[in-house]
Amino acid sequence: MAAVRDMFDLSGRVAVLTGVASGIGKATARTLAAAGATIVGGDLDEAGARATATEIAGDGGTAVAMRTDVTRRADVDALVDRAASEFGRVDVVGNIAGVPHNKMVAEVTDEEFERILAINLKSVFYGCQAAIRHMIPQGSGCIVNISSGAIDTPAPTLACYGMTKAAVAMLTKTLATEVGRHGIRVNAIAPGMILTNFSRHNFVDEQGNVVPERLEQYHKRASALAPLGRAGDPQDVANTFWYLVSDAASFVTGQIERPNGGVSMPW
Ligand SMILES: NC(=O)c1ccc[n+]([C@@H]2O[C@H](COP(=O)([O-])OP(=O)(O)OC[C@H]3O[C@@H](n4cnc5c(N)ncnc54)[C@H](O)[C@@H]3O)[C@@H](O)[C@H]2O)c1
């Protein structure tokens, strides 16, 4: 039996991640790099993605970053292809980039609907297709898609966001049934309330500055909802991601993992 710590060692693996400029993507990139993986990171925010790569290099890891608009198939293909051409492998693909959307169904415009589908759903489909193009010939690989706790807790204004994330969960499960025989595992993470730029609109003013009272309110709401009594940190999600792509999860596929402090507990 492999030593327990070896199961979490990602040395020699190459991980392609989107959304690495901020929040969950950045924490995941730094965590996988610290575990030994080489990171190929993309984000619409090129400067932010490069900053993450620089931090990883500063910690002694290896990372490259490039501007990637996940709504463009060509950008997603280029990111995944870069891992193969520059580092020779594609072991992990994490489809992480995403945006919030809060509006009552009656008020959603066609443009908004198309935008949220493009950023949160079609991008993940492109990422999965690009991943398996490399992973099937390789005979191995792990895909992790970021869904959301919104799939478990329908609430006013969450229809569009929740639909995209429920579709991501279904894509994950279905793809897992298609590619398991090629040695590829496909899982999703449905995070609860995590403190990132994504949740900032809950506690900033019009200028984008944090309002301490609103931040305290946000924490209070998160604490009241969660049996563990707190909002999540990007590292909570990064740790779940790390587990899923490690050998410790070698029998885990088609699952929706929920780092959510216990807010919802589906079977
Ligand atoms: N924070 C939460 O509470 C929470 C909860 C559940 C799920 N999620 C999901 O987690 C994922 C990461 O969110 P986060 O909380 O880290 O938010 P974040 O805003 O901190 O990071 C999102 C990143 O995605 C990038 N991005 C946005 N549009 C893009 C595009 N078109 N192409 C490439 N990159 C793009 C942004 O530049 C940013 O760096 C998202 O899919 C989000 O839906 C977040």
Side-chain angles (χ1 to χ4, degrees):
M1 183 183 158
V4 169
R5 66 174 176 282
D6 292 344
M7 290 183 190
F8 291 93
D9 184 2
L10 302 182
S11 299
R13 314 248 175 119
V14 180
V16 182
L17 307 171
T18 67
V20 297
S22 173
I24 292 167
K26 184 183 180 85
T28 301
R30 295 198 63 174
T31 300
L32 300 196
T38 294
I39 307 299
V40 178
D43 202 293
L44 199 53
D45 172 2
E46 186 178 2
R50 289 191 189 283
T52 299
T54 302
E55 286 171 38
I56 289 170
D59 290 341
T62 307
V64 294
M66 60 195 271
R67 183 182 190 278
T68 306
D69 179 349
V70 295
T71 67
R72 294 165 48 96
R73 181 190 281 281
D75 280 19
V76 176
D77 284 350
L79 184 70
V80 180
D81 290 349
R82 183 168 176 188
S85 62
E86 207 163 316
F87 300 106
R89 309 186 52 76
V90 181
D91 297 296
V92 173
V93 168
N95 295 301
I96 301 175
V99 293
H101 181 269
N102 293 89
K103 215 166 198 187
M104 300 291 269
V105 170
E107 291 161 14
V108 177
T109 64
D110 280 358
E111 291 70 28
E112 277 176 283
F113 188 42
E114 293 299 335
R115 177 175 177 272
I116 196 81
L117 286 175
I119 301 175
N120 284 6
L121 175 58
K122 288 165 107 175
S123 64
V124 178
F125 194 76
Y126 300 154
C128 286
Q129 287 188 314
I132 59 176
R133 215 174 48 239
H134 291 280
M135 289 174 179
I136 289 175
Q138 194 175 272
S140 67
C142 291
I143 299 171
V144 178
N145 298 324
I146 303 298
S147 175
S148 167
I151 68 173
D152 303 317
T153 52
T157 76
L158 277 178
C160 290
Y161 181 73
M163 283 193 296
T164 62
K165 294 300 187 176
V168 165
M170 195 61 198
L171 166 62
T172 300
K173 290 170 187 245
T174 309
L175 186 58
T177 69
E178 293 183 1
V179 297
R181 69 197 165 91
H182 297 289
I184 303 167
R185 298 189 292 104
V186 192
N187 291 289
I189 301 178
M193 292 167 80
I194 311 295
L195 268 176
T196 66
N197 285 329
F198 179 95
S199 34
R200 275 177 75 84
H201 66 276
N202 291 293
F203 49 79
V204 294
D205 59 20
E206 281 74 41
Q207 284 73 47
N209 301 315
V210 174
V211 180
E213 304 81 58
R214 287 196 205 160
L215 181 58
E216 198 188 325
Q217 268 312 110
Y218 181 81
H219 275 293
K220 269 194 185 147
R221 194 153 57 90
S223 313
L225 288 171
L228 290 181
R230 67 172 175 90
D233 186 81
Q235 192 62 48
D236 292 314
V237 184
N239 292 345
T240 306
F241 194 113
W242 179 17
Y243 160 70
L244 282 174
V245 302
S246 75
D247 291 347
S250 63
F251 199 46
V252 179
T253 197
Q255 304 303 308
I256 314 297
E257 295 293 331
R258 290 175 164 87
N260 65 9
V263 169
S264 64
M265 304 181 185
W267 293 105

